[in-house]
């Protein structure tokens, strides 16, 4: 698939040089900082030297005082407290964090994760009934609840109080809970708005610890769970999240909780994790518990106090992940075949595929894979509880949620945001929905939005990649949304020495530019360029700079995202 290369506009030269001189760094690095809104020494120090003292006062969050008072009252009166959370990584890490913290201090405590298929996302009537039937008078809800107005009203009729800890956008009306912790509330003056659900849980225990003279170390010991949630829930890695992620990754690589340590061992890697490694190695395993079986297994792993217990749960979850991969690959293959064998589908500006036998737990992953192959808004549908359920993914710049609003008369319900959504409809509406969605997309998407874009941060001469440059570049990590690993462009490079294929279609080579040393490169799924490269033609590359570790030997490697022959 051809991708459009878009080089970011360079900031004002005087500003770039001034910051570079002030920090004694390369102008390419000062350009990257200015792109991130960092324009002076103090901002740069805050960025490059994360400090736990940079964490905000948790009591700046609206309703935090009320939340802590209600929990303290429950503990004083020996009420039963239920820790309730979503079934994804953010939800299960949230529950593990809050449950583990309070379980050390209070015994009348349980946790509850709704069944993905029977109860669905968020607060469920079944969960409230469970609490009522088992004598729970307080539910602390994590990573969900902000839109559960009706469910909280129902809980109130049962005499059950709620403390909601959520990070999603509220609706027009807030639930009638004892406390609603959500920085995205319009009346909340908390300085940072992009915390994960587990991040809100962390602020809750931080506030409780402050109020009750508990040492901060008793809170900081859960930062590995917070980092996992930040990575896997794809929240911004800026401000407070950057601090939490930085120290969480440090803990993950040095002293993770027992469950995480065992999961890392089972995954075959026990150190040097980055945010990206967490997303692709730990995240799918934790998620697989809820996708294939029961997310409670993930919580049991993350709260485990003994290695034997953790290993049993870790092996179970790893097995579920293997099963998930099987479903994922087979459904993706089936869906790709459906599209390839239907000329009309190939020529569309949207993809909607339906098979009533597909596993609901992996249709979101399949939608993402189809979007990688056919770069356009994509929906994967399957049968679920008598209805048809779907998972949708979009492309850069196209508002999927708005498109679904244009189809709402054909849907039972839908929810999500610009780039990802879930939906349900009656089976008899599937054909009409497929046509309507295509009409809406055709009328609103631009041709440019249908071509994948590689955003290039700066032009770089290979000879600029010196040890100091690389050392400072590494300090931009942890990378993630709003602080992505920089993409550079170098022009007129050529192969020096080896160039060949590894794996199925991956290009491995050493490149040089006039006056530079040679740099090892890997270009995944770009083997088609090998004949032209071997013919000795100069070419342009866009790439990330990363450290490659092979048999304990570390070296700089260029991870090539695109190759072009001739001018950009």
């Amino acid at each position: 698939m051809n991708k459009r290369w878009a080089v970011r506009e360079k900031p004002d030269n005087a500003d770039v040089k001034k910051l570079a001189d002030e920090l004694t760094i390369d102008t390419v690095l000062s350009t990257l900082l200015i792109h991130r809104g960092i324009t002076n020494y103090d901002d740069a120090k805050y960025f490059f030297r994360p400090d736990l003292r940079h964490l905000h006062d948790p009591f700046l969050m609206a309703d935090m005082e009320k939340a802590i008072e209600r929990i303290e009252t429950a503990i004083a009166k020996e009420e039963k407290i239920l820790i309730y959370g979503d079934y994804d990584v953010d939800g299960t890490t949230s529950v593990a964090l809050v449950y583990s913290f309070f379980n050390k201090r209070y015994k009348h405590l349980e946790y509850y994760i709704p069944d993905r298929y029977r109860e669905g996302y968020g607060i469920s009537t079944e969960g409230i009934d469970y609490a009522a039937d088992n004598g729970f008078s307080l539910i602390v809800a994590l990573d969900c609840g902000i839109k559960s107005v009706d469910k909280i009203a129902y809980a109130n009729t049962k005499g059950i109080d709620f403390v909601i800890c959520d990070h999603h956008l509220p609706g027009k009306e807030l639930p009638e809970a004892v406390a609603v912790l959500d920085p995205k509330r319009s009346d909340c003056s908390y300085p940072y708005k992009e915390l994960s659900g587990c991040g809100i849980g962390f602020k809750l225990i931080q506030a409780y610890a402050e109020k009750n003279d508990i040492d901060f170390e008793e809170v900081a010991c859960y930062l590995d769970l917070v980092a996992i949630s930040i990575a896997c829930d794809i929240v911004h890695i800026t401000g407070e999240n950057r601090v939490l992620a930085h120290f969480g990754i440090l803990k993950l690589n040095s002293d993770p909780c027992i469950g995480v340590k065992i999961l890392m061992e089972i995954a075959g890697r026990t150190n040097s994790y980055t945010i990206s490694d967490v997303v692709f190695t730990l995240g799918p395993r934790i998620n697989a518990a809820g996708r294939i079986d029961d997310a409670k297994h993930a919580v049991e792993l993350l709260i485990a106090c003994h290695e034997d217990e953790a290993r049993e749960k870790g092996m179970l979850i790893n097995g579920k992940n293997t099963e998930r991969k099987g479903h994922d690959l087979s459904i993706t293959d089936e869906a790709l075949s459906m599209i390839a064998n239907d000329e009309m589908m190939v020529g569309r500006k949207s993809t909607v595929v339906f098979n009533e036998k597909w596993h609901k737990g992996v249709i979101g992953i399949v939608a993402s894979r189809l979007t990688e192959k056919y770069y356009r808004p994509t929906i994967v549908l399957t049968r679920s509880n008598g209805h048809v359920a779907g998972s949708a993914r979009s492309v850069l710049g196209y508002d999927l949620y708005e498109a679904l609003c244009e189809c709402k008369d054909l849907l039972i319900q839908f929810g999500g945001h610009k780039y990802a959504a879930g939906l349900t409809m009656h089976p008899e509406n599937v054909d009409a929905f497929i046509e309507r969605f295509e009409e809406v997309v055709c009328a609103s998407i631009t041709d440019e939005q249908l071509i994948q874009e590689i955003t290039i941060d700066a032009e770089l001469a290979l000879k600029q990649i010196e040890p100091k440059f690389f050392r400072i570049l590494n300090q931009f990590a942890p990378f993630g949304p709003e602080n992505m690993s920089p993409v550079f462009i170098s022009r007129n490079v050529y192969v020096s020495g080896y160039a060949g294929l590894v794996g199925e279609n991956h290009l491995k080579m050493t490149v040089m530019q006039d006056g530079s040393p040679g740099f090892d490169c890997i270009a995944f799924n770009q083997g088609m360029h090998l004949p032209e490269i071997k013919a000795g033609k100069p070419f342009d590359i866009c790439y990330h700079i990363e450290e490659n570790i092979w048999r304990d030997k570390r070296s700089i490697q260029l991870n090539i995202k695109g190759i072009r022959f001739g001018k950009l």
Side-chain angles (χ1 to χ4, degrees), residues 205-263:
I205 67 169
Q206 184 189 357
Y208 184 89
E210 278 185 25
K211 182 103 179 285
N212 291 274
D213 296 322
I214 297 167
D215 192 90
F216 181 71
E217 280 304 309
E218 296 284 309
V219 176
C221 64
Y222 301 109
L223 280 169
D224 50 349
L225 296 179
V226 181
I228 291 170
S229 82
I230 287 170
C232 297
D233 219 52
I234 324 293
V235 293
H236 294 179
I237 302 191
T238 56
E240 192 167 32
N241 275 348
R242 179 175 168 80
V243 177
L244 293 167
H246 173 84
F247 287 99
I249 290 290
L250 283 179
K251 185 167 193 310
L252 188 81
N253 285 317
S254 60
D255 181 30
C257 70
I258 289 171
V260 173
K261 177 186 170 213
I262 294 299
L263 194 61

Side-chain angles (χ1 to χ4, degrees), residues 228-332:
I228 291 170
S229 82
I230 287 170
C232 297
D233 219 52
I234 324 293
V235 293
H236 294 179
I237 302 191
T238 56
E240 192 167 32
N241 275 348
R242 179 175 168 80
V243 177
L244 293 167
H246 173 84
F247 287 99
I249 290 290
L250 283 179
K251 185 167 193 310
L252 188 81
N253 285 317
S254 60
D255 181 30
C257 70
I258 289 171
V260 173
K261 177 186 170 213
I262 294 299
L263 194 61
M264 289 161 76
E265 285 178 13
I266 290 169
R269 180 174 177 180
T270 55
N271 56 34
S272 301
Y273 274 74
T274 64
I275 288 288
S276 180
D277 297 326
V278 171
V279 171
F280 293 108
T281 305
L282 302 182
R285 287 171 168 82
I286 296 170
N287 249 333
R291 288 186 188 281
I292 302 298
D293 188 2
D294 189 334
K296 289 187 182 72
H297 297 313
V299 178
E300 287 164 355
L301 169 72
L302 296 173
I303 66 173
C305 297
H306 304 288
E307 288 203 3
D308 289 348
E309 174 193 1
R311 187 161 277 106
E312 182 186 336
K313 287 298 170 188
M315 293 301 290
L316 173 67
I317 283 173
N318 200 54
K320 297 299 174 191
N321 189 51
T322 302
E323 190 179 336
R324 186 273 306 166
K325 282 195 276 192
H327 287 302
D328 163 8
L329 293 172
S330 66
I331 294 171
T332 300

Side-chain angles (χ1 to χ4, degrees), residues 146-157:
I146 195 65
K147 289 188 176 176
S148 302
V149 175
D150 294 344
K151 296 294 193 297
I152 304 306
Y154 174 67
N156 289 337
T157 68

Side-chain angles (χ1 to χ4, degrees), residues 415-432:
H417 51 80
K418 187 172 181 176
Y419 293 119
L423 56 149
T424 346
M425 69 186 82
H426 294 295
E428 60 268 24
N429 285 344
V430 170
D431 289 342

